[in-house]
Each structure stands twice: as C-alpha cells, then as structure tokens.
C-alpha cells in the first residue's frame, strides 16, 4: 500500500522520469545487441556516461561551462535592463511605439543568427561577441512582452484606482506594474531559450573555449560521447533555468495560482 | 432634507474620432437629498453610467454644473466611492489589501487602515477570507469585497453602477437585503444605477427613469412603500402596482428606439 500511495503522490514526476529511462535503455540495448556499434557515427548512453565522468573529473567541462555562462549572464542581464524599460515606454507612450515598432518587429522576425558572423567580426571571438549575440536574441521577448503587458492593463482597474484618488504614479505601481509581471515572466522563459541559442551559435563560429566550442570540436573529430556530454549539459541548464523561473513566477505572482502557468 | 448632490443642466457629448458624436447626457438636472436612496433606470446607452462617472469625477461635463454639498465636483474625492459592476477588484491583491486600497491612497497609516479594513470585512461577512485572492471567491463574495472597499473610506455618497447585475438571482436578492441593512445603518446617500425595475422599486426612495439618446430625465417616481422593507413586501399589490407604473414609463423608451 505504501508504494501505491507514493506513486499516486508523485505520479507526474515518476512517469516523466520513466520515459527518459525507457528511452535510454532502448537506445543502449539497440546498439548493444541489434545494430553493430560504429563509434564514428553512433554512440550509446553507457559511453556517454563514461565520457561525462571523464569530462567532469579531469576534462574541460566546468571550465567550458563557466566560459559560456559568463557570456550568457552578461548578454542576458543587458537584455533585461534594456528590454523591460524599452517595452514599458513603448506601452505608455504611443509616439515611441509608432517610431520603434516597425524597426523592432523587423529585427525580431528576421533570423538574427544570420548576422552572427558579422557580430563576431565586429566584436571579436571572445566574451563581447558572444554577449552581444545573446543580448540581441534575448532582448526581444523582454521588449515585446513588457509592451504587451502594459497594454493589457485593464482600463476598469485604472479607473478604480483613479476613482479612489490615485495619482499617475499610483496607476503605474498599483495597476500597470502588477499586470505586466506575468508577461515579463513568460518573456523570460522565451529569452532563456533564445539566449542559449546565441551562446552556442557564437561558439560554433569562432571560439577556443565554451560549451558550444566543445560540442562543435567533438563533432568535428568524431568524438560522439563527448559531443553528447555538451548537449546534455546544455539541456540540463535550460531545464534548470526554466524551472527556477517557474518557481519565481509562483512566488512573485501568487494570484495567478488559479490559472495554469506553463 | 438637505441637498447633497445637485446636477444642473448637465450635458456631455462624446466625440469619437471618425464617428458620429454621441450625446450621452442632455440638460440633465437632479437633486438628491442627504441620506436619500435614488435609483436610475433607463434603456442601454441612456447615459446612466456617464452620470455616475461625472459624479465620481472621472469625466467632466461639457455644460452645466455638478455639485456636491454646494461645491463643484472637479475630480475624484474621498467623499464619494463607487461599487463597480464587474467588481473591479485588483487580482494581485488579497481581500484585505483590496479593501484597504482607498485608505492606502488616502495615506492612512498602516495599522489604522488594517484595523478599519478588518472591521469592514467582518461586517461584510467575509471573515476568514482576508488572505484569499479574488479569483478564489464567488461573484457574491467579490461584490461584498467591492462594497466593503467602497465603505472603507467612509464616503458620504455611495455610487453603484449595476453592482448586482453579474450575480445570480438568489445572490442578488441576498445582496439587495444586505445593502438595505448597510444603508439603514450608515445613512449614506446612494445613487444606484440598474436595469432591473424590481431592484429599483425595492431599494429606492425615488426612481429616476431616463430616456435614451439624448439621455435626459423622463420622469421621477417617488416610492411610498414603508421601510424597513423585506422580501415579503415584494409580493404585495402595492409593490406590483409601483413596478407597472415604472414599466409603463420605461416601455415607450424601449419600444420607440427599436
């Protein structure tokens, strides 16, 4: 009975985990017993695990992770600091919206990854070039989501605060800011994904260190287990950041607990 | 009875871009005494809500004069408070914080406003729900919060814009009875906008019937029914007689414009 209760309580996590285990087991068994393993073109979980252990203990994994993280944190921080105020001003001031919207929409819609080589030429292969790329990719969700959040502020609630004697400052603090928060949170999750793409693309083009460089180098030299170590670390980081965001959202916006946040 | 609200020849025309101007109010004059309960009924778009918004100070009339206790209304003030049809509760605030809103904007000290808000929450029958968010409440409870919030600043005039329209019939009956009790206890001047003839007849001292486009007063009917009123009174012949008198005036408006 104990087991059943435990299962029912953690059903979601257990079932989610089991699909991973099943996939890994199927992969392992397939390449061990069915398909002959050609290490140039295939690899399997057990080899990846060994490579992971080597990389983590003696290799460059932590160093590469630190290098990539630094560029990510710089670019991402700037996209928050610039994107949110810019989106807010666009939402409040119609003229700013009209002036900037076409330009920003064009940039947002075009595949910015295409100008990565240009950015690398201008800003170099080091921290700066990658941070600029992360910034350019991550800033748009902040701009557009903050903008949409400000626009979404309910006119009824604005009138409520005004009717109780609220001044312009009160409208911003008591209505507009809180209605924008969920939008910013959703934008942050988008921005995390785009920022990680920025890092990897930057390091693919030209770099001598970082997770993206490690993946690309391992691929070029047919060291598939090492390549997968990079990919898996990257997805773990993405999942971790997104999970942290979700927790943060629930803490900051408990009134949305009734709605499904995904 | 001393005059509390005085509207003299108030007129307001909305001029939206690229569309025909709409005269919401035309030559609207009304006097409301202190502690009086006045309902306004009329077809949709007759300017009932516009009148409330002018009284509240959110919009200014083009012509005429709107006065409260002899002073012209120039903007929102703590002597008036509105109960909104769609409740207008801030979803990110708990019940307690919502009720405190007016006091907070007035600059009342934290401990005092908390005390006052708790008092009103208890009065509204919301004890135990202080820390709930609006989405966790039923429609009737939400409007109790709306009423408590409006009463928190102890305004002289209570403006109600179809406050019970979004509620189901039983909750509505209950809230009407509660409102009468609150009114009896606090002696506030109430302007109550509604679509329901029954509601207007049951609650009011006078019922103002408006005509549509341009919005002006068609007739004012005085309600002679004794107070306190209870649910049984609604079954009496006098009450039905009153309802049909209001309906007779209103009917022409509804049929004419169709």
């Amino acid at each position: 009975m104990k087991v059943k209760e435990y299962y029912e309580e953690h059903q979601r996590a257990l079932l989610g985990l089991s699909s991973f285990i099943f996939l890994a087991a199927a992969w392992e068994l397939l390449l061990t017993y069915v398909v002959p393993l050609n290490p140039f073109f295939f690899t399997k979980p057990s080899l990846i695990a060994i490579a992971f252990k080597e990389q983590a203990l003696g290799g460059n994994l932590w160093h590469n992770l630190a290098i990539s993280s630094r560029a990510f944190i710089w670019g991402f921080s700037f996209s928050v600091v610039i994107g949110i105020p810019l989106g807010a001003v666009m939402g409040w001031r119609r003229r700013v919206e009209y002036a900037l919207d076409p330009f920003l929409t064009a940039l947002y819609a075009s595949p910015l990854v295409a100008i990565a080589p240009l950015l690398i030429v201008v800003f170099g292969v080091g921290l700066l070039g990658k941070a600029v790329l992360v910034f350019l990719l991550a800033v748009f969700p902040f701009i557009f989501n903050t903008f949409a959040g400000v626009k979404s502020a309910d006119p009824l609630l604005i009138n409520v605060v005004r009717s109780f004697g609220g001044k312009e400052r009160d409208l911003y603090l008591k209505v507009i800011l809180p209605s924008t928060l969920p939008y910013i949170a959703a934008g942050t999750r988008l921005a995390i994904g785009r920022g990680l793409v920025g890092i990897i693309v930057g390091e693919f083009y030209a770099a001598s260190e970082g997770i993206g460089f490690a993946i690309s180098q391992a691929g070029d030299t047919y060291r598939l287990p090492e390549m997968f170590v990079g990919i898996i670390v990257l997805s773990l980081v993405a999942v971790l950041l997104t999970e942290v965001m979700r927790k943060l959202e629930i803490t900051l916006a408990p009134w949305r607990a009734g709605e499904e946040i995904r | 009875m001393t005059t509390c609200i005085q509207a003299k020849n108030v007129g307001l025309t909305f001029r939206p871009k690229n569309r025909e101007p709409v005269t919401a109010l035309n030559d609207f004059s009304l006097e409301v005494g202190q502690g009086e309960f006045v309902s306004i009924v009329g077809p949709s778009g007759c300017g009932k809500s516009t009148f409330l918004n002018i009284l509240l100070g959110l919009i200014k009339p083009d012509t005429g004069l709107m006065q409260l206790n002899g002073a012209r209304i120039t903007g929102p003030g703590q002597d008036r408070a509105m109960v909104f049809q769609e409740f207008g509760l801030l979803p990110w605030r708990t019940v307690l914080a919502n009720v405190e809103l007016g006091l907070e904007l007035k600059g009342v000290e934290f401990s005092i406003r908390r005390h006052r808000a708790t008092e009103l929450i208890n009065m509204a029958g919301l004890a135990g729900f202080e820390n709930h968010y609006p989405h966790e409440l039923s429609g009737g409870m939400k409007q109790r919060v709306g009423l408590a919030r409006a009463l928190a600043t102890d305004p002289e005039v209570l403006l109600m814009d179809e406050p019970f329209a979004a509620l189901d019939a039983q909750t509505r009956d209950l809230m009407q009875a509660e409102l009468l009790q609150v009114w009896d206890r606090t002696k506030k001047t109430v302007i109550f906008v509604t679509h329901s003839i029954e509601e207007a007849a049951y609650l009011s001292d006078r019922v103002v019937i408006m005509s549509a486009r341009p919005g002006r007063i068609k007739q004012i009917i005085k309600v002679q029914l004794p107070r306190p009123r209870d649910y049984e009174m609604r079954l009496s012949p006098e009450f039905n007689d009153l309802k049909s008198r209001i309906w007779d005036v209103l009917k022409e408006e509804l049929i004419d414009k169709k």
Side-chain angles (χ1 to χ4, degrees), chain B residues 10-13 22-28 43 45-47 210-218 253 257:
Chain B
V10 172
L12 178 66
T13 304
V22 180
T23 302
L25 283 177
N26 188 14
D27 204 19
F28 187 101
C46 72
M210 288 183 70
S211 70
R213 303 211 175 151
R216 56 170 72 204
I217 293 177
K218 182 145 194 213
E253 286 308 311
K257 309 294 164 187

Side-chain angles (χ1 to χ4, degrees), chain B residues 15 24 56 70 103 122 158 171 185 258:
Chain B
R15 298 172 204 283
L56 199 55
L103 300 165
N122 291 337
L158 201 54
T171 311
R185 220 168 334 131
K258 284 261 160 77

Side-chain angles (χ1 to χ4, degrees), chain B residues 57-85:
Chain B
L58 288 183
I59 33 183
K60 291 194 166 54
D62 297 332
T63 56
L65 187 65
M66 190 78 94
Q67 284 184 323
L68 184 69
N69 296 327
R72 191 192 199 104
I73 291 172
T74 53
Q78 299 274 351
D79 42 12
R80 288 148 286 152
M82 176 98 114
V83 179
F84 295 83
Q85 181 185 354

